[in-house]
Each structure stands twice: as C-alpha cells, then as structure tokens.
Amino acid sequence: MPKFYLTTPLYYVNARPHIGHTYSTIVADAIARYKRMRGFEVVFLTGTDEHGETVARSARKAAKEPQAFADEVAAHYQQLWKTLGLEYDQFIRTTEPRHDAAVKKLFRAVKKSGYIYKGKYDGLYCVSCELYVTDPTPEGNCPTCGRPPERIEEENYFFKLSSFEKKLLEHYAKHPEFIQPETRRNEVISFVEGGLRDLSISRTRFRWGIPYPDDEKHVFYVWFDALTGYLSGIGYGSSGPEANEFARLWPADLQLVGKEIVRFHAVYWPAFLMAAKLPLPKTILEHGHWLMELEKMSKSRGNIVRAEPIHRVVGTDGLRYFLLRDMVLGQDSNFSYDVLVTRYNSDLANDFGNLASRTLTMIERYFAGKTPYPSAGADRARPDAEVATVAEQSITAAQQAYDVYNFASGLEAVWALVAALNKYLVETEPWVLAEEETKRARLATVLWTAAEGLRIATALLYPVIPSAAERVWRQLGLESELARVNLDDLSWGQLPTNAHLGKVEAVFPRLDKPAVIEQMRALEEEMVAAPVAGSNTSADEPKTWVTIDEFAKVEMRVAEVRAAERVPGTTKLLKLQVDLGNEVRQVVAGIAEAYAPEQLVGKKVVIVANLQPRKIRGLESNGMIVAASVGDQGRPVLVTFTEDVPVGARLK
Ligand code: MSP
C-alpha cells in the first residue's frame, strides 16, 4: 500500500484554537480521509509549537510556568480536535523529549556539513512573529504582522542560508509541484532571487527553548525547533523501532500551511533539510485566511470566531461543509454565520438531506424497507440512463478536484449529481407511480436509481461530511464500512437489491436561521464572558505596560447588587442590576456557575464603570464585574473588602 504522510502547521500555544487553526486541521482531515479511500496508508500529523518568547510572555501574563501553560493550551487543542472528530495519527508537542532529541540530531547533521557559524546580529526583531526584520514596511513595522519591531544586538549562531539560493531555485524549477498554488510559488521564487541572508538559529534573549548543545547561554530559534516537529513526530531522532517508521514515511507527501508561514516552509525548511542531507517534502500547500468582515481575526479587534459554538449548534459536518465549500484553496475568504447557515439550509438540508429522506422514506413505504429490483437495462427509460451518466461524470470530476485538494469544485461536482437526482424524482414522480399497481416495476426502477445515485453521492461526500455520510450509508442498508470503500472501485450499478434499509432519519434537519445565529453568537459571548484557561492570553498581545495615566482612564467603582437573575438558556450568565450611588444599571456577567443569583443581592462588588456598553445575548451590559480567575477552569471569585466601603467609591 503506498504511504501518504501529511502535516498541518504546529500551532502556537499562546491561546486556544480559533476557526483558522480549525480550518487547517479540517482540510488535513478531509484530505486524509480522501487519500485513505484512494488506497493510501495515510499518516496524518498535527501538534503544537510550544517554545519561544511569545509563549513565555503569554505564560507570564497568565502567572503560570511556561510548561504548565503549554500543557493547558495543548490540551485545549487535543480536546477540540477530539470533539470535532478529527482523526490525526500523530500529535507532536515540541516540549516532548523525543522532539528535543530530534532537534539536536538535525542540528548535528547541519553542523557537520559546515553550515553553522557564530556571528553577531544587530538589527530589528519582531517579538510577535519571532522573526528578525530585515525588510520592514515603509513605516518601519514588521512586514508579517505590522507591529513595530524592537532593535536588538546579540551574538548568535548562524545558518548559512545564503549558500542555498541556487539549490533552492533549482529545486523549485525542477519540481513545480513543490509549492502550491502557483501564485505563491512565484512569490517565493522572487523572494529567493532577491538574495538570501544567513539566518540566526539561536537566541539568548530568553530561556524558554531547547538548549543549544554547544553553548549554554543559547536556545534554538523557535522555527528551527518547530519545523523539526514534522520529523520528530514520526521517529526521527529515535534509536528505537520508531526510526524505521521515519525511514518509511519521510519525505512528507503534503505539508499544509497558512499563507503567512509559506516562507518558513518553502525557503528555510528545505534549506535545513538539504544541509542535513535529508529529502525534501514533496509539496507545500498553502491556503488563505478566514477573515472577519474582511479584516484579519485578532483578539485585540475582538473578532475571533471559534469552532465550538458552531459545532454545538450546526454540528461538525455543517461546519466542515461550509469551510471546505466556501474557501478556494489559496485565497482568503470572509467568514459569515449568515452564509454558513444559508449553505447548511440550502445545500445540506434542502438538496442532500431531502434527497436522502425522500428516497429512503419511499423505499420504506412502498417496498417494506428493502431496496427494490430495477428493471433490466433494456426496460429502463431515458432519464434513468441520464442520471447514471451524471453519476459517472461526478465520480470522475469530484476525484479530479479532490486530487488537487480543490474541495470547493469537488463538492460542486457532487452537487451536479444531487441536483440531477432531485430533478429525476420530480420528473418521474414515484409517489404517483405508487398509486397504480401496474406501474410497480417502473416504481422499483425509479427508486433503485435514486438510491444508487444517493449511494454514489454519499461515498463522494464522506471526506467532507463523514458523520452524515456514514449515517446515510447505513440507512441505505449498506454493510461495508464507508471509510474503507475504495473510490477507484466506485461505479454505477453496485447498489445491492433486497437489502434491508437502516432506520431512516433526517441527517440535516432544517435550521431556523435567525435563531441559530443568535444561539451561536450567544455561545461565543459566553466563551468570552467566562474565559477558560489559556484564553486570556493571545499570540497577538505580547505584554504591554500601561502608564499611570492610561490606568487612570479605567473607572472602577464599588457597586451594590440590587437584583440578580439567570439569563435563560445559558449556564454561565447572570443579569444584574447594580447600584453605583447615582444610578442603577444593568450588567451581564459570566459568573453563574460560581454564584447563585440570591447569594449576590445586597453584596458589594467592583464594577468597571466606563467600559463601552455592549450586548450579550441581546441584553445590554453596562460595565463589567471584576473577579479573580482561579484554577484551571478560570473559576471567578468576586473582589471583597476587609471593611465596609460606600457605594460609588472609586478604586485607584
Ligand atoms: N507555530 C507556527 C507554525 C509552526 S509550523 C512548524 C504558527 N502557529 S499558529 O498558531 O500561528 O498557526 C498558524 C496556522 O494556523 C496558519 O498557518 C494557518 O494554517 C492557521 N490559521 C491561523 N489563522 C488563520 C485564519 N484566520 N484563517 C485560516 N487559517 C489560519 O504559525
């Protein structure tokens, strides 16, 4: 069986995953499922990138040790992938001992080839991107994230990246498939043609990293460290049997990355590998970003979308379908709850879901739940043959698109079949045929044809909506395991006759759009109002000092709770009326799991009184209650005073 080794980026552990990280992992999961159906032995690796200055700063901000902090955030990643049913084979954490061994091994190999030397760096550095800034924007900012870099001077160990200019260009020319899509490939080529400078691969500014073997003051540059995760996760650096796995699986067949890290993967990474005399991955596949109202998602803009609320309200298949259908790989796409639910209702509920339930319900009703016998070929009518032709075309077109990871057009090809089948049912009117006993043979053929088309569409949809596809497969009475169906063998005419249908149930019930959008928004708000561990920090926010004047802008005051009640339909939210001395106002707070409403009435609390009003679950919230966030779950504990204080008193 040929192998197929694919990877996602290893995600930073500064903050919990959002929809962007989820997207990359879902794309990889869909590719893995597809390749398995094409007869490959797939190994799918994902993981977390846990060292470096940004992680150390985020941990400090959360008052945690870096390792404890990384453990928590890595657990969030693993938990979310499990909740979403993402089936990776390997999860590598760059703080694992097996990874440490691999980084040192790669380093020794690179050094042995003569590509390491000691030198001095004097220039700009972007802490957020962990990157030396050699080509700042005209305003002097980091070209990757747009933040102002810091000026630094340090003695470092350097990798002779400049020696690889020619070799890299030769490789790109010889292997046009190495960087995909094409547009990104051209950008990389012009970047390398512009000249490469040597790259510093050690740091002395912080300790949170893998110690540099020859010099204790240094730790490895986080990218030298993290990229090695693609090797360590499959056995590189091990002296046990895992080493054979590495020999068998490397080079990677596909490495999936977001557009902002193409340079690391298409320039630095192959250069490190060439220096260590290791083969290069076959393809680096770049995808674009999900934007929110056409802007980059970031914590500071407060526009981050997360997968959990969508999973809870629309389901994982609805989320996967939207993400894979609505983004053309390589381009950016705008995220919208509205489009997500519209797609769900029109494509999944109306088109595919209806096709499945109509077809199956009629077989249940007219043929006692057993797939009927179609007439012999000669007795079939023209529409039957037309549907069969569309199905065969769809099998070919969907696979051609999936082969180049173009899920959007693969799904369009399947929808051509779904649409043809719905039209077929409308035209042949099996519910009318069922009224006349003499038309029974025709009815059998029509329903067999519809069910056969449904079977083919379902098999082709498995990589994208695995859970719904598996349910429809069982409802069709098919005993084979859908995940193991070989798409090379998929063709028209294989639906067994006289097979018992499984229990027929709707796979995609229609959603009430305004209501579910409101539900998802509310859950999103709850996640913000009651943060769990790891969410109070962000890759976007390295520690920033505030001046006393800035602090003075925050108006914190003592207030007394006059009334409190739970916000219906939520577990975490309370609606409070608080008295600030000169006014009573409403505040919505995420403290319901720690405080009962009746406990709070008459209590004095601290309010941020000049926080911009906002709506939570449709309720106006005028201020925020101050609480300590305690323990792994971030349990809120309200601020108290050791002596009585008057309502309205200001905290300074
Ligand atoms: N730790 C590095 C990668 C090291 S790989 C050896 C890193 N981590 S990250 O947490 O910032 O994750 C970046 C990846 O998450 C992107 O490359 C992309 O795959 C995914 N996304 C993060 N935000 C995204 C969007 N808004 N949209 C789509 N995917 C994005 O960089």
Side-chain angles (χ1 to χ4, degrees), residues 8-15 18-25 47-51 77 94 222-223 225-230 255-262 264-265 269 287-292 295-297 327 332-333 539:
T8 70
L10 308 185
Y11 306 109
Y12 284 133
V13 290
N14 320 70
H18 62 56
I19 200 81
H21 311 112
T22 309
Y23 171 70
S24 296
T25 318
T48 39
D49 178 357
E50 305 190 357
H51 288 129
Y77 269 94
T94 59
V222 70
W223 276 97
D225 168 345
L227 287 161
T228 313
Y230 300 137
Q255 301 210 263
L256 195 64
V257 299
K259 65 174 185 183
E260 80 293 358
I261 55 174
V262 168
F264 299 95
H265 285 81
W269 180 223
H287 66 71
H289 278 177
W290 283 99
L291 306 174
M292 202 50 194
E295 284 198 335
K296 189 171 180 268
M297 280 185 213
M327 186 183 272
D332 289 348
S333 212

Side-chain angles (χ1 to χ4, degrees), residues 50-51 67 91-101 210:
E50 305 190 357
H51 288 129
Q67 187 63 63
F91 192 101
I92 183 73
R93 298 184 53 191
T94 59
T95 52
E96 291 178 59
R98 61 175 171 155
H99 178 74
D100 187 285
I210 295 183

Side-chain angles (χ1 to χ4, degrees), residues 462-481:
Y462 172 78
V464 177
I465 48 168
S467 145
E470 270 173 347
R471 277 179 288 149
V472 173
W473 197 253
R474 278 195 297 275
Q475 293 184 30
L476 274 165
L478 298 164
E479 278 163 9
S480 55
E481 204 186 317

Side-chain angles (χ1 to χ4, degrees), residues 402-414:
Y402 290 171
D403 277 338
V404 292
Y405 316 117
N406 187 342
F407 286 97
S409 57
L411 288 168
E412 268 175 36
V414 183

Side-chain angles (χ1 to χ4, degrees), residues 48-65:
T48 39
D49 178 357
E50 305 190 357
H51 288 129
E53 195 166 6
T54 356
V55 173
R57 283 189 181 181
S58 298
R60 213 176 312 134
K61 209 167 144 194
K64 300 213 160 112
E65 285 301 315

